[in-house]
Amino acid sequence: MGSGVRALQREQTRHTLLSESRRLFSTHGYAAVNLSQVVEAAGVTKGALYHHFESKSALFQAVLEEVQEEVAAYVAATADAEKDSWSQLASGCQAFLDATTNPSVQRVMLVDGPAVLGWPSWRAMTAATSGRHLADALETLIAEGVIPAQPAAPLTHLLSGAMNEAALWLASSEDSADPEATRHALTRLLEALRAT
């Protein structure tokens, strides 16, 4: 068996481990999943798992990175489909809210992510993906004069926090959360940023 075939098998094993652990973590939560469940679901040995990931938390971090990258790509694609900078910000923020209210994304990204990795590490990962897109959009709008001149970092953190909280609220509230009202509230919040 050539090295190319072995490399392909290793990559397939890694992909299967990520896929099955993502399913388990998003369904049951990080704390309720053990590595024996992961290797059984993936149909591999513990040795194969440890070849790719040194611990359960390392496996979870890889799953979280995958989820964050998917959300960031979805947000960026949605925003990039718009013609002007303001519409890009508005549609990107709405896309983030849509993506993060998916229960499997929310559980991994917003609930277990900060708890497992710790707030500083989770925040750094978020800032490198969706947070970077949000900061870029705000900086562009400030440069264009659409949003009054100000540092972009505070706005980035405030909007990111508001959208994360809204996603958690929408996904965890049984009957009081109204997704459409939340989307309208987000639109009004964004509109308040515009220069008059």
Side-chain angles (χ1 to χ4, degrees), residues 2 8 21 41 44 54 64 68 71 77 89 92 94-95 99-100 118 133 141 145 150 154 175 180 188 191:
L8 188 60
S21 15
V44 301
E54 66 183 30
L64 176 59
Q68 286 189 323
V71 168
L89 172 71
Q94 294 291 350
T100 55
H133 294 296
L141 289 164
Q150 61 190 290
D175 44 86
E180 201 55 37
R188 288 190 299 275
E191 287 292 335

Side-chain angles (χ1 to χ4, degrees), residues 71 75 91-101 109 130 160 163-164:
V71 168
V75 168
S91 66
C93 288
Q94 294 291 350
F96 178 84
L97 199 59
D98 289 343
T100 55
T101 52
M109 188 169 149
S130 298
S160 177
M163 289 186 291
N164 286 339

Side-chain angles (χ1 to χ4, degrees), residues 1 8 22 30-31 41 46-47 59 82 88 124 131 136 154 159 183:
M1 183 164 38
L8 188 60
R22 181 174 178 171
Y30 177 82
K46 271 199 178 173
L59 176 61
E82 298 295 331
Q88 289 174 347
D136 291 347
L159 282 176
R183 290 184 214 305

Side-chain angles (χ1 to χ4, degrees), residues 72-109:
Y74 173 70
V75 168
T78 302
D80 289 346
E82 298 295 331
K83 290 183 170 73
D84 65 90
S85 300
W86 181 261
S87 298
Q88 289 174 347
L89 172 71
S91 66
C93 288
Q94 294 291 350
F96 178 84
L97 199 59
D98 289 343
T100 55
T101 52
N102 174 317
S104 66
V105 168
Q106 185 217 55
R107 180 87 182 237
V108 169
M109 188 169 149

Side-chain angles (χ1 to χ4, degrees), residues 13 17 24 49-50 69 97 119 142 153 159 164 167-168 181 194:
T13 298
L17 284 165
L24 290 166
L49 183 142
Y50 284 120
E69 287 168 7
L97 199 59
W119 180 255
I142 291 167
L159 282 176
N164 286 339
L168 285 168
R194 280 191 195 244

